[in-house]
Structure formats: C-alpha cells, structure tokens
Amino acid sequence: MTEHAAASKNTVPQDARTGAQLLVEALAAHGVDTVFGIPGTHNLDLFAALAASGIRTVNPRHEQGAGFAADGYARLSGRPGVCITTTGPGILNAVTAVAQAYSDSIPLLTISPGLPLAHPSGGNGYLHEVKDQLGALEAVAGAAWRIESLADIPAAVTRAFALLTGGRPRPVHLEIPLDLLPAALPADGPGLAAPVPVLRAPLQPAPQAIRAAAALLQGTQRPVIIAGGGASHAAAQVLELAHLLAAPVLTTANGKGIVPTDDPLFAGAGIHEPALVEYLAQPGAVLVAIGTELAPADMWAGPVPPDTPVIRIDVDPHGLGANATATVPVLADAAVGTTALTAALRTAGAEDGADVGAEAAAGSAPAQPTVQQTTPVESVGLPESAGRLREAIRAQALRTAGEHLPVLEAIDRATAGRAVLAADSNQASYYGALGLLPAHRPRSLLYPSGLGTLGYGLPAGIGAKLAEPEAPVVVLEGDGGIMFTVSELACAAHLGLALPIVVVDNGGYGEIRDEMVARHDPVQAVDLPGVDFVALARAMGCAGEAPEDAAALREGLQRALAADRPTVLHVRW
C-alpha cells in the first residue's frame, strides 16, 4: 500500500471538506459541467469528489486525447474545457494538448496533483516523480502555478477562470500537492473563502483610437476585413461592419464561419492564398484585422505588405503589433471595438453627407444582424475589385483541393451544410476543408492551425459532440494522423456517440512525402503499410465502412449521423 493510499483512508470529520472537495466545488461554482481525464493513484480523491458532484466525467484512453477532447469542447461551446490527469506521465502526456491550446488561444484548464508539500527538493524516487513537473507546464501554458494550502484552492480556481475568460484566452495549469487532496479543512476554517464566479466586462476601446480608425476608412476604395478566432463571438458585429463598408471579409482557420459562406461579402476562409497579398498591395487598400495575429501559420503566401494601412482590433496588446505594424491599434474586445467603429463610421457619414456603404445610405442604422442574415450583393454594392478577389481566392482553393473536393461535397450534403468539422492536420483539411467546405456559424471548424498537431481531430470531435450533442459533428482525419490517437475510437464507442470519422488514406504522411519530392530528397519514412480501419473500428466497438465513391460516402455519413455508435469511413479513392 502506498503512503497516499494509506492517508486517503483517514476519516474526514463531517463538518470538514477535503482539498479535492474544495477544488471540485470551485469548478462547479464556475459552471463546469464536464471534465475529461483518467484516474491514477495520486488523483483518486479528485475522482471521488467528482463522482459526488454531478459533474460529468469523460474518460478518454490517453491523456493527450483527454486534452484534445477538452480543447474541442471549449472551441465549440465557447466555455473553458477542463482536463484532469495524474502526476508525472499523466500530465506530461497532455502537454502537447496544452501547447496546441496556447497556439490557438483556447481556454483549456488542466489540473494535476504534484508531489507532496514536504517532498525533498533533490528528489527521492517517489512514484511518478518528475524533476520539474510544474516547469514543464510553465513552458507551454499561458499560466501555471502550484497551490500551497487548502485555503488557497477557491482563490486559485477563481484566478484560473479570470485568465481563461478574460482577454486573450490561454491554457492554465493548476498543480495541487497530492497530500492536500485528502487533507481536511473545517467548513468554517479560517481564511476559507467561497468560490466566486468571475464576472468581467468586455474591454472598451479608447475613443481616440476609434476616431482615428474611422478617419482612415472614410473614403477608402479598397477596405478588406480579416477576422480571426478572437472575433468568433463578434460575428454579428463583423458582418454589420462589412456590409456598411461593402468590404470583402476573409477569415483565418479559427475564424471560419464568422461570416457565412453564402454571404456576398465572404471572400474566403484561410488567408493563405496569394490573391489576398496581391490585393492588399494595391493602392487604396486598407486592412481591418479583428481578433487575429496574422500569423505566418495562417498567411502562407507572405505577410501583409509593409505599405498597407492596417487597423487592428484586438484584446491582446501583443496581438496589436504581431506580424504587421498597426497604423491604428484598437485595444478592445472584438465585439465592442467593432461596434464602436461601425457607429463612428455612421456618425461621420451622417455629418459629412457621404455614403458609407449601402446601409448608411438608407438614413438609419439597421437592427443588429444575426449571422444568418445576408444582404443581396446588389444592395451592398460589392466593388468589382472585391468580387475579383473572391473569385481569385476560390479559384486558387479549387486548384489545391484536387481529389479532396468529392469528400468535402459529401460531408456538406450529408450535413445539409451544417457540418461542425473536427479536422486533423492533413491535406484534406488544410488544402480542402479550410477553403472550400461551407460554414454558416462561428467555431464550426475545429482545426489545430498553429501548432499543427497530428491526432487532434478524433478526440476534439468527441469533445465537440459532448458539448453540443445535436450538432452534426464530423471528424476528418488522415491515415497517418489518426494513428496518433486512434485509441479514442474506444472512448467514442463507449459514449455511444453518433460521430462519423472520415479517414482519407494516401498511404502515409502525404504532405511530408510531397515536400521530400519537391526538395529532390530521397523519399523515405513516409510510406506506411495499409491499416484495415474498418476492421479496427469494429474491433473497438464502432461501425466501419469503406465507401467506394462520393455517393456512397454521403450515404455512409447520413447513416453515421443517426447511428448509436461512431462510424469510421475509410476513403481510399
């Protein structure tokens, strides 16, 4: 029997609460209804407290899968995702998921025990001992700290949620010494504060910054908007500004769906096509970047031209200067800052009698649009140059999509255009789905855009389906990437999720193979022996099909969306 197992048998006074109970109570007070994690010797007190709390516990088959599932839950729901692991190998297995969440600004909270309070600083070979567990998390998370007393637990959780829900979200890690979890504190113990949910007002822009941004846009002939993941909650506001300016809108991967694909002002998802850089380089172009760092991982064709005037609306001070100098920086919440800019443009247009877009010409501000509302291109007055931009970007996307287009069409038709796609880092996703799969709502593409992790799609799809069970969630994987987290098929089957998993098989790591060929290098270590994914799926409790063409894939997807278990659809054409 381990020391911890013996300690956990101590009787807790009826009027006391353990550290584990305090932690779970604090999570519940902040609205947590689901956690993803795997029990281990050092976190059993946490799982006992969770069982008594009413919080749903989901058990993926690997801690990296738990982290990705919590990430997918957070992306679709807009609420923090929570992942609980044990010490040492447990939390280290989740580090990649934490790094991915940091890269894509996802509110992911990881919690793990740490070594006991009195553990020797030089180590003594304790079970799961790591030289510097907290340091490993500090290296990849937005914030990570160790709780040092029972009385600190409620405040630590409040601090974590303040970081997760305010400003630019980054992952947070809490480490709690394993001997604090079973320790008891009287209910009325000194210094024990009740957990307090975080209430935060959106960051307001400086009026002078809004006036400067409006002045820069007045009279411009080539306004263009790029909306990133930081604007996902500001879809209506972005759409209203776009229609006021008659400006084409592009989105990053994480911003896809902010403007519906069928809106006349939508110019493309993904800001990687050369046509965008060429458009921005022309005289008269002004870029409005909302909630995006304009990262090289998004702008494959090159950065914003240095002479292009840029208005940046961002809640993160660092984001105002990353990758492109802001002519007018607006430090503000995306929704609040965009609303203020729209109001300033309308006021300026009314004062000088100028037409600021078709809606301003009507003489009154329209009602707040929803993301479903669109305005016919004739009434918006889309400039001819903007129309050409949209067509050029679509043409470039079609050229790179290649053989993936039938897969995308099957997914779109099977979901009636409402797909929530949990995508992996594979060619069918970044060359195909990113630019060409229609989207009509924010956060409908869950994609590891920054870190580019393999194995993300399947566990992220599980988390998304649990966050919104009625959503038609589809996973899009490659035959190489899915093997990184293929064990989560068993988790999805255990949960009975109606989750289609499309595996596009190109015989290995296709992107790296193509890069080797382009470099004239020997092609090696990229061709993988074939896996019978249908048999593998069935062995793990899922259904499995091998559709022979797009029509069969569409029919298989429709069956999968109504099934009582996950379905793997192995595509080899």
Side-chain angles (χ1 to χ4, degrees):
M1 179 181 295
T2 68
E3 293 179 13
H4 175 62
S8 68
K9 291 181 178 294
N10 294 337
T11 301
V12 177
Q14 289 186 351
D15 63 344
R17 284 174 290 171
T18 67
Q21 289 170 328
L22 290 171
L23 183 56
V24 170
E25 287 172 8
L27 292 176
H30 286 84
V32 174
D33 60 9
T34 303
V35 300
F36 300 85
I38 299 176
T41 297
H42 291 162
N43 67 8
L44 292 178
D45 294 288
L46 270 175
F47 277 84
L50 285 166
S53 70
I55 293 176
R56 174 175 54 181
T57 303
V58 180
N59 305 116
R61 300 308 189 258
H62 189 278
E63 288 89 357
Q64 186 175 109
F68 286 152
D71 176 302
Y73 179 96
R75 292 197 197 214
L76 188 58
S77 70
R79 303 188 302 274
V82 181
C83 170
I84 294 179
T85 77
T86 193
T87 43
I91 187 58
L92 293 183
N93 280 342
V95 162
T96 297
V98 176
Q100 183 64 65
Y102 183 93
S103 179
D104 284 351
S105 303
I106 304 303
L108 172 66
L109 174 62
T110 54
I111 300 171
S112 75
L115 294 175
L117 285 169
H119 185 262
S121 60
N124 67 353
Y126 203 94
L127 177 66
H128 296 336
E129 181 179 334
V130 174
K131 178 182 177 183
D132 187 1
Q133 176 178 293
L134 186 61
L137 273 297
E138 286 177 329
V140 294
W145 66 91
R146 180 174 166 93
I147 297 171
E148 297 291 348
S149 73
L150 292 175
D152 287 341
I153 291 173
V157 174
T158 295
R159 177 186 170 195
F161 274 82
L163 294 172
L164 291 164
T165 60
R168 182 177 185 176
R170 298 286 204 185
V172 174
H173 177 70
L174 295 181
E175 178 180 292
I176 180 167
L178 63 90
D179 52 342
L180 283 185
L181 291 173
L185 187 71
D188 57 351
L192 179 59
V196 179
V198 176
L199 301 175
R200 183 188 293 268
L203 182 62
Q204 302 290 319
Q208 60 269 31
I210 292 297
R211 288 194 294 268
L216 182 58
L217 286 168
Q218 278 292 102
T220 183
Q221 298 301 307
R222 288 180 177 272
V224 60
I225 297 172
I226 295 178
S232 292
H233 67 294
Q237 292 83 0
V238 171
L239 190 60
E240 186 177 11
L241 176 63
H243 280 237
L244 180 66
L245 293 171
V249 184
L250 296 100
T251 70
T252 65
N254 288 334
K256 184 168 181 175
I258 288 175
V259 172
T261 304
D262 59 0
D263 190 281
L265 291 175
F266 177 72
I271 54 176
H272 53 279
E273 301 292 1
L276 171 62
V277 178
E278 295 166 5
Y279 186 86
L280 292 173
Q282 296 176 28
V286 176
L287 171 62
V288 183
I290 307 172
T292 172
E293 61 186 347
L294 301 172
D298 288 309
M299 299 195 71
W300 310 344
V304 175
D307 295 333
T308 302
V310 181
I311 297 166
R312 302 192 73 164
I313 302 175
D314 207 296
V315 75
D316 179 15
H318 172 74
L320 292 173
N323 300 306
T325 301
T327 311
V328 181
V330 180
L331 182 63
D333 171 82
V336 174
T338 304
T339 295
L341 179 55
T342 300
L345 287 166
R346 285 207 172 92
T347 299
E351 288 175 352
D352 63 16
D355 287 336
V356 186
E359 292 175 344
S364 62
Q368 181 92 325
T370 66
V371 292
Q372 286 80 24
Q373 290 175 326
T374 58
T375 304
V377 66
E378 293 81 10
S379 63
V380 172
L382 182 66
E384 182 181 350
S385 59
R388 289 199 299 269
L389 170 65
R390 180 179 59 192
E391 295 308 315
I393 287 175
R394 178 168 177 78
Q396 290 171 353
L398 286 169
R399 283 196 293 273
T400 56
E403 73 245 41
H404 306 304
L405 193 57
V407 172
L408 305 179
E409 291 175 343
I411 293 172
D412 186 48
R413 292 181 64 182
T415 59
R418 300 184 301 112
V420 172
L421 190 72
D424 213 52
S425 186
N426 58 53
Q427 291 179 319
S429 296
Y430 47 74
Y431 290 142
L434 175 57
L436 293 171
L437 184 68
H440 298 278
R441 56 173 287 183
R443 303 189 181 100
S444 56
L445 175 64
L446 317 181
Y447 175 68
S449 63
L451 200 64
T453 316
L454 290 178
Y456 172 84
L458 173 55
I462 292 171
K465 190 66 177 178
L466 291 172
E468 196 172 319
E470 300 306 314
V473 179
V474 177
V475 172
L476 183 58
E477 289 271 7
D479 60 305
I482 193 173
M483 295 303 293
F484 283 56
T485 54
V486 74
S487 59
E488 302 310 339
L489 288 175
C491 173
H494 181 211
L495 294 167
L497 299 180
L499 183 67
I501 301 113
V502 180
V503 180
V504 178
D505 191 338
N506 59 13
Y509 303 118
E511 176 67 21
I512 307 306
R513 181 193 298 124
D514 291 349
E515 290 181 19
M516 287 178 172
V517 171
R519 288 162 49 95
H520 304 291
D521 290 347
V523 176
Q524 57 176 330
V526 291
D527 296 323
L528 302 178
V531 172
D532 186 344
F533 287 106
V534 172
L536 180 60
R538 292 172 179 168
M540 289 194 178
C542 304
E545 299 183 20
E548 297 182 354
D549 55 29
L553 175 59
R554 182 178 71 253
E555 293 169 0
L557 283 163
Q558 291 169 336
R559 284 190 293 272
L561 289 166
D564 62 353
R565 66 193 65 196
T567 303
V568 172
L569 298 143
H570 188 185
V571 175
R572 288 180 286 188
W573 34 267

